[in-house]
Each structure stands twice: as C-alpha cells, then as structure tokens.
Amino acid sequence: MNRSLSLFLAVSAMFAAHAAPWQGDSVAVNDTPLLPSAVNVQASNDTADTQHPSPRPLIAIGEVMGTDLVIHSLCRFILDEPYANTSLHSIHSNLTTGPKWDNDHFYLNHMGHPYQGNLHFNAARSNGMGFWQSVPYSFAGSLLWEMTCETEPPAINDLVTTTFAGAAIGEVANRLSGRIIDDSQRGLSRFVRETAAAIINPLQGFNRLVSGKAWKVRSNGAQPDETIPATFTLSLGTRHLVTPPTSSTQDPSASHHRTNLMAAFSMEYGSVVNGESHPKPYDYFTFDTEFSITGNQPLLSHMYIMGRLLSLRQAKNMEWGLYQHFRYEEARLADKEAASPFPIGEMASVGPGFIWACPQLSPRLKAEQGVFVSGVAMGAINSDYYAVADRTYNLGSGYAAATRTRLHWQGIADVQLDARFMHLFTWKGYEHKDLSTIDPQHLNAQGDRSNARVFSVALKADAHITEALALSVGATYTTRHTHYHCFPDRHADCYECRAALSWHF
C-alpha cells in the first residue's frame, strides 16, 4: 500500500512534467480562437465564474467527509486493514480516550497522512476557498478520521502532520494542476491535460468533472496563475550510497555501498526576488522529489517543499519573507548493523527567510543566496533504540536552519549548494516502563528521551549539453548525532553520489 501511494505521486509528477506549458513559449494558447465566434462570446461570459469560483463551504465539508469515507471503505473492505474495523464502541473509546502519540511506520505517518491532508485541503481550495481558509479543512478532516475511522486512539502527531504538511503538499498540487489546465484546448490535448491535473489534484478533478468544466471550452482558457513564471526539471540516473566504517578502528574497506536507479522531478514556481509585493501564500515555492526505480531503496526517498507564506519586506535585489518547510528523507543502508541518519522528517516547520539575488555578476553570470530559520513544531529523526510496533524513529520539536547558494552561468552550467540543519528534542519518553505489559497503541511516547542534531550538505552541478538537456552530478553528506538520556549516545553518517541526465523546461 505504501509503495502504491508513492507510485501514484511519481506518475503524477511525470504527467505534470509532460503536460505543463513550457516556460518561455513564444506562442500563447489564446492567440487563435478554437470555436466559432458565437460560442466564444458565450465562453467569455463564463470566464470570471470559472477562474474565480465563489466559496462553497458546505460542498467542501461534504467532500472532506466523503474523502474520509472512501479511504476508510478502501482500507476496511478491500485492503482488510484491522484498524479500519470501526464501530460505535471504537468511536466512543476514541472520543473518551483522547489523543496519544502513535507507533506507525515513518512512510505512513509522514507521507500517507500528509497526502490525505492534501485531499482535505483541496476539497476546500477547489471550492473557492483561499490558502488560509483551506487549512482548517485539513485539520477537520484529520480529526474526523482519527476519531471515527480508526480503532486506534487518535494520534497527536497525525493531527499536526496532516494539517500542516497536507497544506504544503495541497497548495503545490493546486498550483501545479492549475498550470496544466487549459480550457481553450480540445480533443486529445484537452483529455491529457485534464487527466494529468486530476491525477495531481483529485478533488479539483472531481469538481471539474461534476460541474462540466472538464469539457467546457473557453477561448480565454488559461488559468489566472499562468502569468507566474515556473521552471521544471525531470532527471533520470543513478544514486550511490556509502556507509562509512562503523568504528574508527575498522579499515576503510569496511565501508558498505549500495546503488540504485532513480528518477527525480523538481520545480520552481514564481519569482525569487522581483521588488514586488507578494501577498498570496505560495506565490513562490520550490518543490523537489526523488523516486527509486530499483527495489533496494524505498520507492519515495526524498521530498522537499519550501513555500513563501508571506513577503515581509522588499528592497533592491533582496527580500525578507515567512516560509513553510516540509522535508522527507528515507534510505536503506547496505550495512543493516550500521547506525543510520535516516529517516528524517520536518513536517510542521515555519520561520523567516532572506533571499539576496545578484542578477549580473558578469554579462553571463548570476548568483543568489538564501538563508532560512524555522521553528519545528513536529519533526522526526531515526532512533538507535526505540523499536515499538512499526516505529523506529523519535518524534519531537525544535528548530531548523538552511542555506541555499546558486550560481547560473548562462549556456554553460548551474551550481547549487544546500545546507540544512535540524535540532530536535524528544520530550516524552518510555524509559522505566515495562513494555511487555503495555499495549503499543497506548504506550503514548514520542520515543527515546533525547535531543538529536542532523546536518546535511548537498552540492549539485548541471553541465548544459543543449538549452534543455544537461548532465547532472551531485554529492550529499548527511550526519546525525543523538544524545540519549538513558542510553549511550550514537553517531551516524552517510554519503550519497548522483549522476543523471536532466531535462529542463
């Protein structure tokens, strides 16, 4: 089930890459009318209603409830998941027990629940609500699910992750699907665009299908966000992981290696710094994700979202803003006995950021520097000791910081250096409890009482073969150090190398 959801997201991204309009196209989609003039007049009258639908909160509430019902029915009657065998007794128990920390798998908690939150968010977003108006729908959908659709006690971490990470993924899906939809198209092109947009944003696709907008043709068919610049990159190549020796006394040849094929998709939406006011959340964001094609790694190994919630101050070539961050990292090392820095999760993280852009260091050279700090309300880092049910990681809160340095040498190469740091504190432990006498569902622990620091630095370079094609190489170093209150401290390192052919458009 987990790999199926990752595959769903991978197909969505690839559909989007092929169907989205190319940045820099010289011909606008509306240059040539596709319908007789009489139809165009009627179509133009529908433009405002189609592009700016009025809010429909009751329909959004119904779709949130319907989404949970469909997913619950799938889990109960088709997948036969034990936790979905709910009853009035289980609902009453959840209402009286109250929320606890759960012990689900990292993928389920930090990608499955955010994806479900994205559906709740877009139930509101596709029914005329703005970003901030849609966030409560993610929380309400999560609360409804936790109380009525599972036999397990409601989870604190799920409520937080589904709400905030769901909003981040949901707004990216909303913006991306909006770039694909073009109501001026007909025939196969229209079908492909509608299908791709519906895969990325199912609730929007459902609403367009029910309302008839999925096939209504308008001469002014481009979406309002079409004027916002966006660039996309699709990559295919190899990823090589190296686990260093587990102790200083070991020979370097004791390192373990693992190689897999990978596919990656990334996009940058909006202008970094243009001296203008940006009142709308996610008028600028970056999104990148990576999938493992071969089976020795999790299908979804990486996802990172950084979205600007608010532009605080603009000056020449620089801007201060408030940013939301979402990070998901997972990998399987070749040496199963070695300590691992993975998994890493940054699910509810918001803070200020500063970006400085130098548009012309030389006639063909541009530079950019970004610095970001954030408070992490909910994060996750691998544990060396905690292993209860399906969970092998610690939950907690803390702070994070990141820097991004970019150089663009026109027609030659692009270089990017990223550094990320997170310090996470796990407050509620399980130590001094007899785990043999406690039901894991009612253990109610964040993990080992500890504080963990994880740092990663990644360097990537693209050498341009043509304007669209590039040879990409990169290296990443990730390290974790965890101080435990009741166990010996542990340290973990991992090196990664990548080589890929990238298509920029």
Side-chain angles (χ1 to χ4, degrees), residues 337-340 384-385 480-484 487-492:
E337 302 300 322
S340 173
D384 300 286
Y385 303 102
R480 170 181 63 85
H481 181 81
T482 305
H483 169 69
Y484 295 95
F487 303 104
D489 295 352
R490 294 292 297 274
H491 181 81

Side-chain angles (χ1 to χ4, degrees), residues 87-343:
S87 63
L88 292 177
H89 179 269
S90 68
I91 295 173
H92 178 266
S93 176
N94 288 344
L95 291 172
T96 55
T97 299
K100 302 180 182 297
W101 303 98
D102 76 7
N103 290 294
D104 287 338
H105 191 275
F106 180 77
Y107 179 88
L108 179 60
N109 269 350
H110 304 118
M111 187 49 61
H113 281 287
Y115 181 79
Q116 189 171 350
N118 138 74
L119 298 177
H120 299 146
F121 177 88
N122 275 308
R125 201 73 171 90
S126 61
N127 275 293
M129 258 69 81
F131 177 88
W132 297 113
Q133 292 172 309
S134 301
V135 173
Y137 288 80
S138 291
F139 175 77
S142 177
L143 185 63
L144 177 66
W145 174 271
E146 295 293 327
M147 293 297 182
T148 66
C149 296
E150 291 186 352
T151 58
E152 302 171 357
I156 302 170
N157 48 291
D158 289 346
L159 290 169
V160 175
T161 300
T162 306
T163 301
F164 293 99
I169 295 175
E171 187 62 16
V172 169
N174 174 66
R175 298 278 184 151
L176 182 53
S177 62
R179 296 295 297 225
I180 298 171
I181 294 171
D182 185 352
D183 290 342
S184 69
Q185 298 292 308
R186 294 191 296 178
L188 180 60
S189 174
R190 179 64 177 269
F191 175 78
V192 171
R193 285 177 177 271
E194 292 290 339
T195 302
I199 290 174
I200 295 168
N201 193 345
L203 268 297
Q204 181 190 62
F206 172 79
N207 284 318
R208 287 180 62 83
L209 188 65
V210 171
S211 67
K213 294 177 182 178
W215 55 80
K216 180 182 286 189
V217 178
R218 297 183 297 109
S219 61
N220 186 19
Q223 300 300 296
D225 290 344
E226 187 70 18
T227 57
I228 298 178
T231 57
F232 305 86
T233 302
L234 199 60
S235 302
L236 182 66
T238 62
R239 175 194 188 202
H240 184 71
L241 283 83
V242 180
T243 309
T246 54
S247 70
S248 59
T249 59
Q250 285 185 291
D251 188 87
S253 62
S255 299
H256 293 79
H257 304 259
R258 176 166 280 182
T259 302
N260 66 281
L261 295 177
M262 64 87 177
F265 173 75
S266 64
M267 67 179 293
E268 184 168 10
Y269 180 97
S271 298
V272 183
V273 177
N274 58 10
E276 299 177 358
S277 176
H278 303 98
K280 294 182 180 180
Y282 279 74
D283 272 356
Y284 173 76
F285 68 84
T286 60
F287 167 80
D288 59 89
T289 187
E290 183 178 303
F291 302 91
S292 299
I293 299 175
T294 50
N296 61 20
Q297 291 296 327
L299 184 56
L300 179 64
S301 57
H302 164 83
M303 182 179 288
Y304 182 72
I305 297 171
M306 182 185 72
R308 184 173 58 205
L309 297 174
L310 180 65
S311 178
L312 300 176
R313 182 182 178 187
Q314 301 83 35
K316 186 178 180 180
N317 298 330
M318 63 182 64
E319 180 168 345
W320 291 88
L322 186 67
Y323 290 82
Q324 180 180 14
H325 303 264
F326 170 79
R327 183 183 180 189
Y328 177 98
E329 306 280 354
E330 178 66 295
R332 297 192 190 106
L333 305 186
D335 182 5
K336 296 182 180 179
E337 302 300 322
S340 173
F342 305 105

Side-chain angles (χ1 to χ4, degrees), residues 19 60 78 283 358 386:
I78 297 179
D283 272 356
C358 184
Y386 190 87

